[in-house]
Amino acid sequence: QVQLVESGGGLVQAGGSLRLSCAASGRIFSVYVMGWFRQAPGKEREFVAGISRTGGSQYYTDSVKGRFTSSRDSAKSTVYLQMNSLKPEDAAVYYCAAREAVFPGRNADEYDYWGQGTQVTVSS
């Protein structure tokens, strides 16, 4: 098993930046691909970004391409989501998730472990 703890959320003005962190503990971090999801009030949880086990491949939903970057630091067992040029529509609770696989999936059902979420609020 792996435990995930997100941090870094907060309130930011439109156009601003935030960096989310997701610290993992438990099993060896390198066996997991990681995903970032978000859920706004009244909406379904949606895929935002995914990163391979080595960090060499990243995947993004179209709405965040060019603005968000996912990375991972194996020495710290931590994955990051750098969010730039934030828009009001990016506001949501952001979750990191882990699955023991080769490639990240885009469906929440594919992930076995979840963090508690961190709130991102973007003011216009």
Side-chain angles (χ1 to χ4, degrees), residues 20-69:
L20 305 183
S21 300
C22 174
S25 61
R27 281 198 64 194
I28 300 173
F29 182 58
S30 60
V31 306
Y32 296 101
V33 297
M34 304 296 292
W36 287 97
F37 290 78
R38 66 187 179 188
Q39 188 167 19
K43 295 188 177 181
E44 292 188 354
R45 191 168 298 190
E46 65 169 346
F47 173 81
V48 176
I51 188 165
S52 63
R53 290 185 294 183
T54 64
S57 298
Q58 302 92 41
Y59 309 85
Y60 302 95
T61 193
D62 287 346
S63 62
V64 308
K65 284 180 181 177
R67 301 188 298 121
F68 290 13
T69 303

Side-chain angles (χ1 to χ4, degrees), residues 1-7 20-34 36 51 53 71-80 96-98:
Q1 278 196 335
V2 63
Q3 293 77 43
L4 305 173
V5 179
E6 301 102 334
S7 61
L20 305 183
S21 300
C22 174
S25 61
R27 281 198 64 194
I28 300 173
F29 182 58
S30 60
V31 306
Y32 296 101
V33 297
M34 304 296 292
W36 287 97
I51 188 165
R53 290 185 294 183
S71 61
R72 64 192 291 164
D73 184 335
S74 295
K76 296 182 178 180
S77 297
T78 300
V79 63
Y80 304 98
C96 68

Side-chain angles (χ1 to χ4, degrees), residues 31-34 97-105 110-113:
V31 306
Y32 296 101
V33 297
M34 304 296 292
R99 66 186 291 237
E100 194 170 340
V102 176
F103 298 106
E110 297 178 84
Y111 288 80
D112 300 309
Y113 306 101

Side-chain angles (χ1 to χ4, degrees), residues 37-41 45 90-95 116-120:
F37 290 78
R38 66 187 179 188
Q39 188 167 19
R45 191 168 298 190
D90 294 319
V93 177
Y94 281 71
Y95 299 89
Q116 82 287 355
T118 186
Q119 178 72 51
V120 171

